[in-house]
Amino acid sequence: MKKIGFMICFLFLCCLTVSAEEIEYQNIITDETTIEEDFQVLGMNIEEYYQPKYNYSKWYVVGMSEGYDIPTYDIQTYFYIYNPIKLESFSQELEIDGEWCSSELESITLEYKLSNTTNFVNSKILDTNYEHHLLKVKGFKYPFCEMAKIEVLSIQDICTYMPGIVSESTFKATTNHSKLNGLSVELSFNSTLIIDDYKVVEIEVKKDNNLINNWNSFWSVENTSMLVYFYNFNFPNRIKPDSIEYAKFKYDYLTYKEKVYLSSLDWKPDLDYAKYNEKKLLERESVLQEYNNESKTLRVNKHSQELTFPTFYLGNRIKDKQFGTLEVSGDIEYFNYDCSVLLDSTYRYSERKYDYPKPMHRVAFDDINYTSLDDVEFLELHYKQDGILYKCQVVVPPVDEDDFGHGTAQPPKPKDPWYVKLWKFFVGVGEFLFKMIGKVSNDIVYGLVGIAACIIGIACIPLSISWIIKGIIKLFCLPGEIVAKIFGG
């Protein structure tokens, strides 16, 4: 854990004839100092906080400082809070009871934990930096102690005439205090990473096309595939990481049951069976996942190839053949990002069944059960660059299931054997003949008609050749016949 350590220096008056106990102390970070001044003391870069591409409102604690309340040595906390949305957005004109009123951001309420005791504090806003979306608020005060552990659990803004926004927080800090040497603060992260370009991609991985899988599919109406989820994103231009060491995400598991109707077995192509489709959400479960720098091996079933994915990958997984011999199609452009995180994998189970949505109409449908991800939120990332480990709180909106990219990884289609190619040729001939007379049928009829047409055509070849030879001979003899008729006649 890299330390944002800072020693609160003291201005003091001292003369040679007094003892050290008489030294008068005054703190550098106070209610009156600005965000810019405090960031210089804390070693934080204010330029890292800016307006991202998206319009998303959430409060983030990005830093903390403390000061002594002389002479009691009670400790006063200060927190620095960032919101991706412009802070001016919290000042709005509202019509209430026929009158226009100005709703202003008044204060910030922090839910915090100090030494395992949870409490709330209504924090006064001391300074605002609109350019960098930052607030400095006056936090809680607590008695002097050598060491304290502080967590901020949630943040809520208090506005006049408007409900506040409540944001969960994962901020943690360890503070150390000395009446002689000052204070130090150690944060659970030492930087804030704002991500502008990101995408969650769901890849459905099909089982291998081999003898065992094909034999099992022939005797079974069940089908299984694997759903693999990736979080792909770009770093800010200033960051060129050498490796990713750790990440934390929060998302929901959604368990679904679907009925997808396919076609009528009673040959009723004019009926719309899709209107009978069903999709039910059976369960939603929220999870918090932590990831380390390792690889995971996944496979659809024991008769399919193993796919090994690094949890973190700086590059394009598809171009670098991480899907083995499978061909990936769909939203594959969403892998053209700086970094890809393997989030999770689930399975999709499908069984072919039959139903009667209308009397005397037997229809096939797939009975599908699967688990998907939803509300994927990126919370924290640790990476190394130039030998330095950076532990970053991540600022980015959660990604809804409806905004996922989708793709399919499946075995390449095998080349058709000669007899299949010959059959397709006959089907093409038959379909051509049917189109000439304005009729439509199916592949079996096309193929049989094509075979018959080709047999008739082959049988007529000798007769056609004799006709062609006789025509050529007659063509050569024609001039002589004409001359004979002219002079003989």
Side-chain angles (χ1 to χ4, degrees), residues 86-113:
K86 284 187 175 295
L87 296 178
E88 294 98 320
S89 302
F90 289 94
S91 298
Q92 301 183 27
E93 293 294 324
L94 301 177
E95 186 177 5
I96 302 177
D97 296 330
E99 297 184 2
W100 286 94
C101 305
S102 178
S103 178
E104 302 287 343
L105 178 62
E106 291 187 332
S107 62
I108 297 290
T109 297
L110 300 177
E111 180 187 9
Y112 67 93
K113 183 184 289 186

Side-chain angles (χ1 to χ4, degrees), residues 84-303:
I85 199 170
K86 284 187 175 295
L87 296 178
E88 294 98 320
S89 302
F90 289 94
S91 298
Q92 301 183 27
E93 293 294 324
L94 301 177
E95 186 177 5
I96 302 177
D97 296 330
E99 297 184 2
W100 286 94
C101 305
S102 178
S103 178
E104 302 287 343
L105 178 62
E106 291 187 332
S107 62
I108 297 290
T109 297
L110 300 177
E111 180 187 9
Y112 67 93
K113 183 184 289 186
L114 175 64
S115 301
N116 295 321
T117 301
T118 302
N119 210 334
F120 292 85
V121 59
N122 189 21
S123 304
K124 178 183 178 182
I125 299 174
L126 300 176
D127 189 26
T128 304
N129 187 304
Y130 292 106
E131 179 184 0
H132 297 286
H133 305 238
L134 290 167
L135 299 177
K136 175 183 177 181
V137 300
K138 189 173 184 177
F140 53 90
K141 187 183 291 186
Y142 62 99
F144 177 86
C145 59
E146 292 186 356
M147 188 272 288
K149 292 186 177 181
I150 297 171
E151 298 180 42
V152 178
L153 306 177
S154 68
I155 310 162
Q156 181 176 11
D157 57 275
I158 307 300
C159 299
T160 52
Y161 312 114
M162 289 183 63
I165 299 171
V166 180
S167 304
E168 294 181 355
S169 174
T170 58
F171 178 87
K172 295 180 181 180
T174 301
T175 61
N176 294 282
H177 316 107
S178 168
K179 293 181 179 180
L180 295 178
N181 300 322
L183 311 92
S184 67
V185 175
E186 185 177 359
L187 305 183
S188 58
F189 55 85
N190 55 21
S191 183
T192 299
L193 179 63
I194 300 174
I195 294 178
D196 279 317
D197 302 313
Y198 55 92
K199 197 70 179 183
V200 176
V201 187
E202 175 196 271
I203 301 295
E204 182 178 6
V205 182
K206 305 285 189 177
K207 59 187 176 183
D208 282 8
N209 184 11
N210 54 41
L211 181 61
I212 297 178
N213 281 335
N214 293 338
W215 176 260
N216 292 337
S217 297
F218 179 80
W219 292 105
S220 174
V221 293
E222 296 182 357
N223 189 28
T224 301
S225 59
M226 181 170 59
L227 304 176
V228 188
Y229 296 88
F230 301 92
Y231 193 104
N232 303 327
F233 67 96
N234 285 331
F235 286 96
N237 292 332
R238 62 181 175 82
I239 298 178
K240 306 294 182 184
D242 301 318
S243 64
I244 310 298
E245 303 299 322
Y246 170 87
K248 181 187 294 184
F249 284 84
K250 183 177 72 172
Y251 52 82
D252 292 343
Y253 280 119
L254 304 183
T255 301
Y256 287 107
K257 184 178 183 64
E258 282 192 70
K259 291 176 69 174
V260 178
Y261 284 86
L262 304 175
S263 62
S264 170
L265 298 183
D266 295 321
W267 192 244
K268 303 287 185 182
D270 55 322
L271 298 180
D272 180 17
Y273 294 98
K275 64 184 179 182
Y276 300 107
N277 291 350
E278 298 177 6
K279 183 176 181 179
K280 295 181 180 179
L281 176 61
L282 302 181
E283 185 181 6
R284 177 186 287 268
E285 178 189 1
S286 182
V287 297
L288 185 68
Q289 293 280 24
E290 296 182 89
Y291 303 87
N292 295 311
N293 190 2
E294 57 189 11
S295 296
K296 295 182 180 179
T297 299
L298 307 174
R299 64 194 306 180
V300 179
N301 60 25
K302 62 181 180 180
H303 304 301

